[in-house]
Each structure stands twice: as C-alpha cells, then as structure tokens.
Amino acid sequence: MKDKLERFVRDNREDFDVFEPRADLWKDLEKGLGHKERPLWQRPLGLGWSGSNASRRMVWQIAATVLLMLGLGGFWYVNQKYGMTDQPDMMAFNPTYARTVQQYTRLIEDKRGELKTVLESNPALYQQFAADLDRLEKTYQNLKQELPKTPNQEMMIQAMVQNLKTQIDLLNQQLMIIQRIKQQNNETNKLPV
C-alpha cells in the first residue's frame, strides 16, 4: 500500500505543485459545514486570543475598569476645581455660585483663624467679635435651610453670597482693629518712662 501511494504522488507531482484553490473555497466549505459568518462582536480580537467567552468577558471587564477609572478621575478633577463636596447643596441648586461660595467660605475660615490670635491677649474683644460673626453665620445657615423651600432660589443664593461677603467685610474690619490695637501697644511700649 505504501508503494502505491508513493508511486501515485510521484506520477502526479506536477498536479500537486500547480494546484491553487479558488478564492471562495473557504466560504463554500463553511456553507457546506453549516457555519455562518459571525457578527463583529463575536469574532476573535486578533490579539492571539481565541475569541472564547472567557476572553470576551475579560475584554469587557478591562473596558469597564478603564471607564470606571476615567469616571472617578473626572469626578475628582471636577470636585477639586469646583468644590462639589464642600458645598454639595449649592452645587445642586446653582453650580456657578458653588465656586464663589467655596472661595468665600475658605476665606472666612482663614480670617477666623487669624482672629483667634487675639483670644490669648484680649479674650473679651475676641468674644465680642465672635458674637458678631456668629449672628451672621446663623443668618447664613437659616438662608441655607430655606433654599430648597423657596420658589426664587436665585435670589436666595444671592442673599447667601451677600451674607458671606458681609462676613468677610466684618472680619476685615475686626482684623484692622486688632492691627491698630497692636500698633498702639507697640507705641506705648516704645515710649520712654
């Protein structure tokens, strides 16, 4: 049997060398076997992966992870830029004022910190200053509580921003008074006895 096969191959060697299959041979073979052309999302990725369900699932997991990371990065960036977590209620009602409110709030906190330096040297003056600021802060908190209930939220937000500006002005005046007191104390200490 082996001799017959070898003889057949030798006798028909030229036929084997010149044979080229038709271009549509594979399509005909697939039709004959009952294969249909797969949709694009079911085809192998061409990255050496088999295109099995496991590899498709892995690709989707990677894509979901990348989208999640981009989403979290975007949220972090917007939060850093606009201070959404510092003023979430303001961000919900009016994002344009949220940044202004955040800046004013930080400025007020900084100036209150400066004002606390007077606490040790002149506690009575500090208590008076703090009482004035607390009244304005209570008014601001009342406005903030009324914001969701009011029909004209734009006007309420403007009132809140104006209250913050008033707090800053009051703090600036108080800090100027402290500065004058310090200057007078320095001048009194410099006078010869």
Side-chain angles (χ1 to χ4, degrees):
M1 173 115 161
K2 187 177 178 185
D3 292 336
K4 288 181 184 179
L5 182 61
E6 287 178 1
R7 193 172 13 145
F8 176 77
V9 170
R10 263 184 288 151
D11 292 344
N12 297 305
R13 178 79 181 179
E14 289 179 18
D15 292 337
F16 286 118
D17 289 341
V18 282
F19 178 74
E20 288 187 30
R22 336 184 289 264
D24 60 341
L25 179 64
W26 286 112
K27 287 185 182 179
D28 288 344
L29 287 173
E30 283 182 354
K31 285 180 186 175
L33 294 173
H35 291 282
K36 296 180 183 175
E37 191 168 319
R38 293 187 283 179
L40 182 62
W41 62 86
Q42 291 181 348
R43 294 182 191 167
L45 297 174
L47 300 173
W49 297 348
S50 66
S52 68
N53 285 338
S55 65
R56 277 194 296 262
R57 189 176 313 118
M58 185 174 68
V59 169
W60 283 110
Q61 288 174 343
I62 291 170
T65 302
V66 168
L67 285 174
L68 179 67
M69 297 304 286
L70 287 173
L72 289 174
F75 177 76
W76 179 82
Y77 172 76
V78 169
N79 184 38
Q80 290 298 317
K81 187 168 184 175
Y82 299 108
M84 287 172 49
T85 55
D86 291 342
Q87 300 291 332
D89 51 345
M90 186 62 64
M91 193 69 188
F93 291 109
N94 194 327
T96 56
Y97 282 115
R99 186 169 172 88
T100 303
V101 169
Q102 178 193 16
Q103 289 174 343
Y104 286 163
T105 304
R106 285 185 182 164
L107 188 61
I108 289 170
E109 288 173 9
D110 291 345
K111 291 188 180 288
R112 278 187 179 240
E114 289 179 42
L115 190 61
K116 286 185 179 179
T117 60
V118 171
L119 180 60
E120 292 176 17
S121 62
N122 197 340
L125 181 62
Y126 176 79
Q127 290 299 326
Q128 184 180 357
F129 286 170
D132 292 340
L133 282 170
D134 287 343
R135 280 193 293 268
L136 283 172
E137 179 62 29
K138 285 179 185 174
T139 303
Y140 178 80
Q141 292 303 325
N142 288 338
L143 291 171
K144 196 173 181 180
Q145 286 177 349
E146 291 297 317
L147 181 62
K149 302 172 194 171
T150 186
N152 192 349
Q153 292 176 345
E154 182 76 22
M155 183 181 254
M156 186 66 73
I157 290 171
Q158 288 177 358
M160 291 168 66
V161 169
Q162 185 59 45
N163 180 288
L164 292 173
K165 286 180 183 178
T166 304
Q167 287 184 47
I168 291 170
D169 289 342
L170 179 62
L171 281 163
N172 285 334
Q173 289 174 3
Q174 291 173 344
L175 290 171
M176 284 175 47
I177 291 171
I178 292 169
Q179 199 68 284
R180 287 181 190 156
I181 291 172
K182 285 182 181 178
Q183 285 177 349
Q184 287 177 353
N185 288 343
N186 286 342
E187 290 175 4
T188 306
N189 291 340
K190 289 181 182 179
L191 290 175
V193 180

